[in-house]
Amino acid sequence: MTFENTPEFAKLLDSQDPLYAYRDQFIFPKVNNKKVIYFTGNSLGLQPLRTKKYVDEVMNDWANLAVEGHFYAEKPWWDYHERLTNPLSRIVGAKPSEVTVMNTLTVNLHLLMVSFYKPTTKRYKIICEAKAFPSDQYMFQSQVQFHGYDASDAIVEIQRREGEHNIRLEDVLSKIKEVGDELALVLIGGVNYYTGQVFDMKAITEAGHDAGAYVGWDLAHAAGNIKLELHDWNVDFAAWCSYKYMNSGPGNASGCFIHEIHHKNKDLPRFTGWWGHNKERRFKMEQKFDPIPSAEGWQISNLPILSLAPYLASIEMFDEIGMDAIIEKRDKITSYLEFILKAINDEVHTDFEIITPVNLSERASQLSVLLHGEGRSLFDYLMKNGVITDWREPNVIRLAPVPLYCSYEDMYNFGQILKQGILTK
Ligand SMILES: *Cc1c(COP(=O)(O)O)cnc(C)c1O
């Protein structure tokens, strides 16, 4: 399709967009009395209108029923989390028994590493991406140190080649081969938070298994953004937060996946609590732990219902629409944004460099733009004029035109504001 950098063309695309109506189901902050152009759904998704109702429901049940709410609320609390399981399994390509929600993302990855990082004197290394999200880096360091290894030896980072912004698949695969029988675990962000690069999870998972290692994925930027087939790819485990593309609210609960081949494996160590114990016998308060033979066997505490309510509201919206429709719009609107950036670049003779891969199979809902020759003042100009984006040192802005609530007209308007920002510097 040939795009045009005109308001008429942007409106035409909006009029043809089957997801356009969902825009009105979200609450936008306002700047200068106008809805903002929101590019940071990869950091904190907007609040869906329906969310408040789900939270109020729990507040009311708590007020009216108090402890009885565990069993007699309209959505009883003792199995409230199970309402998320089926729709969530469709979003990440899993069997319902392979997913659950609990804790928060880094906490879940730590807990999953208890099960899947079992270093021995020979096999103790972890492969991850260079410049992983800081929380993941700290997690790796503390995990290897906890097991008595030296981080500089046990953590193997896959580097970008000189002058390149993205990691090559061939370099991941050859590093896995090279580390070979010293490799205990591969754990990478499925979509890189900085560049937006999407990794070939199927190929990397297979290579890790061929080397005899476990393979897990941090799906913070992948869940609700890309097509996942965690079960079919034979991923051992994965976890994601729900507040980025999944719009469940600040700091909210994490989802996690554990492949069914591990559910009954009693040799896997894990940290346990009563919510992972045999459901029928949970309230018998027995001494011996009997794990639920599903991802729920990794649960520890009873669940934070006030956090799950917004997550449920969001997941039901995803389920209504389906990932395929989201992905179709994602690719179109991201390509339109790319077109707009190039058009403005040509008009005002700047030197933007999109560091996100060009190939649609290697990118999703984010374009990271290196603003050669532009400083933070451009970013400040954008924010002041209602374009919410984020700034990453040294001079990268990340733009996520989230398909559920961004419009094509937003992309056109963004281009105009960007142009003004460059010209009025
Ligand atoms: C956002 C993000 C996190 C955040 O972790 P929390 O435990 O939810 O604070 C972790 N890893 C990656 C890759 C992220 O993008």
Side-chain angles (χ1 to χ4, degrees):
M1 169 179 271
T2 29
F3 291 133
E4 291 170 30
N5 183 20
T6 63
E8 295 77 25
F9 187 80
K11 281 183 195 154
L12 175 70
L13 292 179
D14 280 331
S15 72
Q16 297 166 346
D17 171 13
L19 299 193
Y20 188 78
Y22 278 94
R23 182 175 167 82
D24 289 335
Q25 294 200 23
F26 287 88
I27 305 171
F28 286 73
K30 288 192 171 156
V31 169
N32 306 330
N33 244 334
K34 271 174 44 193
K35 279 185 186 176
V36 297
I37 299 171
Y38 197 71
F39 280 125
T40 44
N42 55 354
S43 186
L44 180 69
L46 291 180
Q47 183 183 134
L49 273 177
R50 64 177 83 179
T51 299
K52 195 161 182 305
K53 187 174 136 259
Y54 283 65
V55 176
D56 285 347
E57 197 176 83
V58 178
M59 293 297 282
N60 291 338
D61 284 337
W62 177 23
N64 296 327
L65 300 167
V67 73
E68 299 277 272
H70 283 295
F71 295 103
Y72 301 109
E74 192 166 317
K75 296 175 186 141
W77 305 330
W78 80 275
D79 64 353
Y80 192 99
H81 63 280
E82 292 179 23
R83 294 170 185 273
L84 288 90
T85 309
N86 281 320
L88 200 50
S89 71
R90 288 187 277 274
I91 294 171
V92 299
K95 295 191 176 179
S97 67
E98 293 173 320
V99 297
T100 191
V101 289
M102 57 187 199
N103 313 308
T104 46
L105 173 54
T106 311
V107 171
N108 278 343
L109 289 173
H110 270 300
L111 292 173
L112 291 164
M113 284 184 76
V114 168
S115 294
F116 295 101
Y117 180 56
K118 302 182 293 171
T120 62
T121 38
K122 179 149 170 69
R123 198 182 270 286
Y124 63 96
K125 291 190 176 171
I126 298 174
I127 283 188
C128 63
E129 68 208 294
K131 295 198 209 150
F133 190 83
S135 197
D136 298 36
Q137 295 187 42
Y138 308 147
M139 172 181 74
F140 293 136
Q141 291 160 15
S142 64
Q143 283 275 345
V144 300
Q145 282 159 6
F146 175 75
H147 286 286
Y149 295 87
D150 179 11
S152 65
D153 174 38
I155 302 172
V156 180
E157 296 185 340
I158 300 164
Q159 303 292 334
R160 290 156 183 82
R161 294 191 190 183
E162 185 71 29
E164 295 186 8
H165 295 296
N166 294 293
I167 292 175
R168 294 195 192 191
L169 175 63
E170 62 196 278
D171 292 350
V172 182
L173 301 180
S174 64
K175 185 61 84 182
I176 288 172
K177 270 221 170 94
E178 182 191 315
V179 178
D181 54 13
E182 289 182 344
L183 183 61
L185 175 67
V186 178
L187 179 46
I188 300 177
V191 177
N192 182 266
Y193 81 100
Y194 189 86
T195 61
Q197 176 181 17
V198 178
F199 287 98
D200 185 338
M201 289 185 240
K202 180 169 186 267
I204 293 170
T205 301
E206 204 175 296
H209 287 162
D210 287 347
Y214 286 121
V215 182
W217 293 94
D218 178 340
L219 300 177
H221 281 257
N225 181 21
I226 68 172
K227 183 95 182 159
L228 295 163
E229 297 288 352
L230 298 179
H231 175 84
D232 287 348
W233 296 340
N234 291 314
V235 165
D236 293 298
F237 68 93
W240 54 91
C241 48
S242 57
Y243 48 81
K244 291 176 177 167
Y245 291 98
M246 308 262 291
N247 311 319
S248 81
N252 209 347
S254 162
C256 70
F257 166 91
I258 297 138
H259 200 284
E260 68 178 358
I261 55 172
H262 302 302
H263 292 176
K264 291 183 181 151
N265 182 352
K266 298 234 158 105
D267 295 335
L268 285 182
R270 60 176 113 173
F271 288 166
T272 54
W274 72 320
W275 232 250
H277 184 78
N278 183 326
K279 269 182 241 187
E280 280 71 49
R281 311 186 64 81
R282 181 179 286 152
F283 294 102
K284 297 201 187 309
M285 306 301 187
E286 298 158 327
Q287 194 177 19
K288 189 170 164 24
F289 181 69
D290 175 17
I292 303 169
S294 74
E296 291 186 355
W298 272 260
Q299 290 172 169
I300 296 179
S301 294
N302 80 101
L303 287 139
I305 305 304
L306 282 166
S307 296
L308 295 193
Y311 198 177
L312 180 60
S314 160
I315 280 184
E316 289 186 351
M317 184 187 286
F318 270 81
D319 208 36
E320 225 168 84
I321 304 168
M323 281 310 295
D324 290 340
I326 290 172
I327 286 167
E328 195 178 323
K329 176 170 176 191
R330 178 200 74 191
D331 286 343
K332 193 163 164 184
I333 195 168
T334 308
S335 297
Y336 189 55
L337 173 63
E338 181 182 31
F339 168 83
I340 296 281
L341 281 164
K342 286 182 179 159
I344 301 301
N345 202 23
D346 290 346
E347 276 182 42
V348 295
H349 307 292
T350 52
D351 185 18
F352 296 162
E353 184 186 357
I354 297 176
I355 62 175
T356 307
V358 177
N359 194 332
L360 286 191
S361 68
E362 278 187 280
R363 76 177 192 205
S365 194
Q366 175 179 324
L367 295 179
S368 299
V369 187
L370 191 49
L371 302 171
H372 295 293
E374 296 290 339
R376 220 191 134 96
S377 60
L378 176 60
F379 167 77
D380 292 337
Y381 181 92
L382 293 174
M383 293 293 279
K384 233 183 268 154
N385 287 279
V387 178
I388 310 299
T389 173
D390 73 8
W391 175 265
R392 287 281 177 273
E393 293 298 334
N395 55 345
V396 166
I397 57 170
R398 301 185 305 165
L399 305 167
V402 172
L404 280 183
Y405 46 72
C406 290
S407 69
Y408 293 91
E409 198 180 4
D410 282 344
M411 302 305 113
Y412 171 78
N413 290 337
F414 161 68
Q416 296 305 302
I417 296 168
L418 178 66
K419 184 160 101 182
Q420 280 311 313
I422 294 164
L423 294 176
T424 57
K425 168 171 65 159

